[in-house]
Amino acid sequence: MDEEQRLTAITERARDLLRELPDDVLLVAAAKSRTANEVAAAAAGGVTAIGHNYVQEAEAMRGALDVQLSWHMIGHLQRNKARAAVTLFDMIETVDSWRLAREIDKRCAPNGAIMPVLLEVNSAREQAKAGVLPEDVEALAVRVAELAHVRVVGLMTMGPLTDDPEAIRPYFAATAALFERLRRREELAADLRHLSMGMSSSYRAAVEEGATMVRLGTTLFGPRPNGRT
Ligand SMILES: *Cc1c(COP(=O)(O)O)cnc(C)c1O
């Protein structure tokens, strides 16, 4: 396939995925290791939200694109990148500590901006994984909700590292139950509306379990090229 056919295929897959997903589920194109042309092809198919794992790569990509898109940080955010992140991203999906939330708040304050964030839940309780343990999410949500320049609008989870959607499903269900529990708290209810879960191998199970955002890379763009991470 030449470059043009490859880009056309991405546009068609974007259209197919948007047709398949329920209207109230947002497709976030996971763009790590992709080119600006590939992302533009997805946008041509109707994709409106881009997820990126790395601040600098996202910055370069955003500069190279002239389409209006919503940018989501979906990778682990280091506190020393928070300043750059708040000017670049429209949502940060990976807040997993009070210190990071406070840093985002501090970096938004000078512009009077409010950053919508998701709290990342370590639903599989994997030690090496980012994210807050499920039992600690509620306390963190209540505390972060008091920050003037950060708004907790939902939860995000990866689930365990496996391609078997049925093995991940219980973790999606548990995160959805946690989300519903948080929504019953008066101080959180008004803002909580997003549940980001599901990747290429698991998005159907995630939607069945209540996801309102799915983060898709491989199924949209094709396999990641060798050597690109
Ligand atoms: C890469 C990535 C995805 C998409 O993964 P695919 O399996 O390629 O769809 C989703 N979420 C995060 C946080 C990612 O880093």
Side-chain angles (χ1 to χ4, degrees), residues 30 32 53 74 156 158 199-201 215-219 224:
K32 61 173 175 286
N53 299 63
I74 62 171
M156 178 273 214
M158 301 276 283
M199 310 183 4
S200 290
S201 57
R215 308 176 309 273
L216 304 182
T218 313
T219 193
R224 270 191 287 285

Side-chain angles (χ1 to χ4, degrees), residues 50-196:
I50 306 301
H52 216 301
N53 299 63
Y54 308 107
V55 172
Q56 267 158 327
E57 282 86 337
E59 208 159 31
M61 184 176 277
R62 196 172 167 163
L65 288 167
D66 56 9
V67 266
Q68 183 62 38
L69 292 161
S70 154
W71 292 77
H72 293 212
M73 177 61 176
I74 62 171
H76 182 67
L77 179 60
Q78 291 167 301
R79 271 182 295 135
N80 63 8
K81 301 269 174 67
R83 186 207 298 267
V86 302
T87 59
L88 185 59
F89 291 105
D90 302 292
M91 182 183 289
I92 296 174
E93 295 201 17
T94 47
V95 170
D96 66 352
S97 72
W98 165 248
R99 290 171 79 197
L100 176 58
R102 204 180 44 182
E103 186 69 21
I104 293 168
D105 183 71
K106 181 174 137 191
R107 297 303 176 187
C108 285
N111 303 321
I114 298 175
M115 177 59 69
V117 306
L118 307 183
L119 301 184
E120 180 174 358
V121 185
N122 183 357
S123 57
R125 319 180 68 89
E126 289 173 326
Q127 239 167 40
K129 272 254 173 77
V132 194
L133 289 174
E135 62 269 30
D136 297 331
V137 171
E138 185 164 349
L140 181 63
V142 168
R143 201 171 173 200
V144 174
E146 287 175 11
L147 293 170
H149 302 281
V150 174
R151 185 162 289 151
V152 183
V153 296
L155 301 179
M156 178 273 214
T157 199
M158 301 276 283
L161 189 65
T162 161
D163 279 339
D164 175 5
E166 293 315 314
I168 310 181
R169 185 189 292 273
Y171 299 92
F172 291 160
T175 305
L178 176 59
F179 180 64
E180 289 310 322
R181 194 151 61 80
L182 261 52
R183 289 175 85 176
R184 288 199 288 273
R185 286 197 67 135
E186 209 176 314
E187 67 269 57
L188 299 174
D191 293 328
L192 281 180
R193 53 184 162 272
H194 298 296
L195 188 52
S196 173

